[in-house]
Amino acid sequence: NKLTAFFTDVIQFPTFTQKSHSKRSVSLQSFTLSSYRMFQVMRFAVQEINNSSLILPNVSLGYEIFDHCSDKFNFQAILNMISRNGSIQVLRCVNEYLSKVIAVAGPFRSMESMTVAPMFAMNLIPMVNYGSSSSVLSDKWKYPSFLRTTASNKDLIHLIILIIQHFNWNWVAFVSSGDENSQNGLQLFKSQLKDTKICLAYAKELNEMSDHYEILQQLEGLSIEVIIVFAGQSSAVTFIKSAIKHNIHNKVWIAGDSWSLNKNLPRLSGIKAIGTIIGITETVMPLPGFKDFVYLSQTQRNNRPSTCEQTPSRQTCNQACDLCSDVSPEEIIGENPSYSFATYSAIYAMAHALHNLLLCDIKGCSDNVTVYPFMLLRELKRSNFTILNRHIEFDSNGDPTSTSYAIVFWNQSGQAEKVGSYETDPTLDVPFSINNTQIHWYADQVPVARCSPECSEGFAKKIDGLHQCCFQCNVCPGMTYVNYTDDPYSCIDCRKTEWSKPGSTFCTQRSVEYILFTDPIAITLMFSTGVLLALTLAIVILFALNYDKPVVKSAGGPMCFLLLGCLSASSISVFFFFGKPTVTNCVLRYFLFLLFYTVCLGCFAVRSFQIVCIFKMATKFPKIHSWWVKHNGQWWLIAIVFVLQLLLLTTVFTASPPTPVSDMTSYRDQIILKCAMRRTVIMFLLLTIVLASLCFIFSYMGKDLPKNYNESKANTLYLLFLILTWITFCTASILYHGKYLQLFNAMSVLSSSYSILFCYFLPKCYIIIFQPQKNTQQHFQGIIQRYTQNISSK
């Protein structure tokens, strides 16, 4: 059996046998030095293994190499490889069928691998690939015998996206070629962009008919600064040369692994003008002894016959090729080393699998074991060894479990300088890193590659066109915010309990405002209420001590005590304007005041009417006056007012009580807790207004009454204070909606009570205390007599 190797464009690859022999293939394609280097690496690996006493002692690896440059001639070689004695038994069980070769390395390109892999899979002949990176080949249902030592495009594309994100770019182009590997890379790139903020602004496939100038002009027209060239080496080189020719300047070129270590492009005149070139390649692993091997091979080649026709029986050319004679060892050693370790480790993977199957030890390998391809495939899947400090192991898809990538920068001297790395090993803490300081940008700073500049803080994006990277910036209005993490394209409404300024990126909790009992103004008002209650109590005591005196009788006698009691009860409502509003204090703050202050107004209305009736109506309507006196009409009227207001308040407050509400509309940053009065409050306000009007009317009618009975000035004054107080409050409630409106309400209640106390009761207290001579029966009778005389004279 043999290991068979495929090298695209030049030769292709090995098997296991006790002999070493090879067959020559004449290539019709142009000579490719990079493939020839891979071929030499394969030969070097086979020679190392055959010279080793540890891996396969007393067993030698033999190989046949084929140039996979033509499907027409290639399939003849493939059919020959999977045959046995010139025939192919397609229905033979894999554990009974032994083909000509036991394993295959190659071919290099993905499309070629996809073409031939099913044929080798028919008998589970393992393919250990060193260059085909299309992720399609990871599908084990289609390619069950395919493994590879090079990474899948999935990891490579992921690394490209990491680089783009690292430099905060989002407006990029992807230039590919028509081969399967490039197309797979484009598909993976598009699929992996879904979870990023990167936009693919332009994608183009290069072929022999491509107009490079037109493509470059389109890139310029779209203002694309970052161009990913994920194409085959020949297509990529031609495209870069066109960019130089057409004076394309100041771009960032991300090179795929096929040309990132190209040795000729960096030497071209004008390569520096096109911008910055960042390449991606698998980490280059130096192969100890390879340089000496190449120089030794050159010496041996010079001593060989120049053509295959000169060899005995034309059986072997000993890896000679007609197109290789002008290649120097220096050129081979200096050629792109990207796939050298992948080729090297592919051969070693096969050797380690054979080591296990042949039960090898330091004494040698067993010669009683028949190795079938499917057995070697099984051992290859179990590979777990270290070579040149690199761990070799395959996952369930046949891909290497860990791959090391190098990120290179083409520096000013034309060398590919390593500036970063990426490890696919998920156990590493920092798998991706770039040293920004090692990259010298054409503009001395990281280029900006964005369709639209980033919006300022608090501005939402509005997509302008087809790509989400192209947008306009609109400031988010107040009470909204933009969350750049979740949705940078929308202004999100704040919650009802939150607020924000225009151009915000978050909402702030609104403060809940109400008057605390500890507020200095609240303390002042409560103290003032306490003073009023104390003054009321003092007046009650003073009036009680002077109950039989004319001043108290003229003030209303027992009705004074009712007035003072209702005045005290109404002022108590002030205490319920503070603290967090509840249904109870909302009801009591209005119920107490409206009920008892209405009784106060009723007392004044009745009192004013009664005085006018005595002095002016008694003589004209004696019967009405006698009925009024006999049946205590004043008390009946006060009782009616009290009961009527009580019924109105109870009915309305039961059906629709004043309730605590949260005012969220007056201030964007505050929630004002207050008590809401319904429109039905007008029903009991009407009664209050009517009584106040009657007070004013009767006071006016009695303006010419005796001085001690003339209350028109007192009533007018306190009514004036009352009207001004509530007009002020109504005006404030229209213009101001903050928490201190409750204080204005409490002040209005207190002012209404103080106006009665100061305008009506304090003058009478003054007479009782400081002018006792006027608080006598004779003084009052004299005033009445003078008033009667004046009336009679008129």
Side-chain angles (χ1 to χ4, degrees), residues 330-358:
E330 290 78 10
E331 290 177 300
I332 297 173
I333 294 169
E335 181 51 35
N336 184 348
S338 297
Y339 298 94
S340 295
F341 181 76
T343 306
Y344 185 79
S345 58
I347 305 303
Y348 267 89
M350 296 178 184
H352 277 274
L354 284 170
H355 174 90
N356 295 333
L357 285 175
L358 296 175

Side-chain angles (χ1 to χ4, degrees), residues 16 18 57-59 357-360 364-371:
F16 138 76
Q18 302 289 5
N58 77 356
V59 174
L357 285 175
L358 296 175
L359 307 175
C360 298
C365 300
S366 173
D367 55 1
N368 295 323
V369 179
T370 302
V371 179

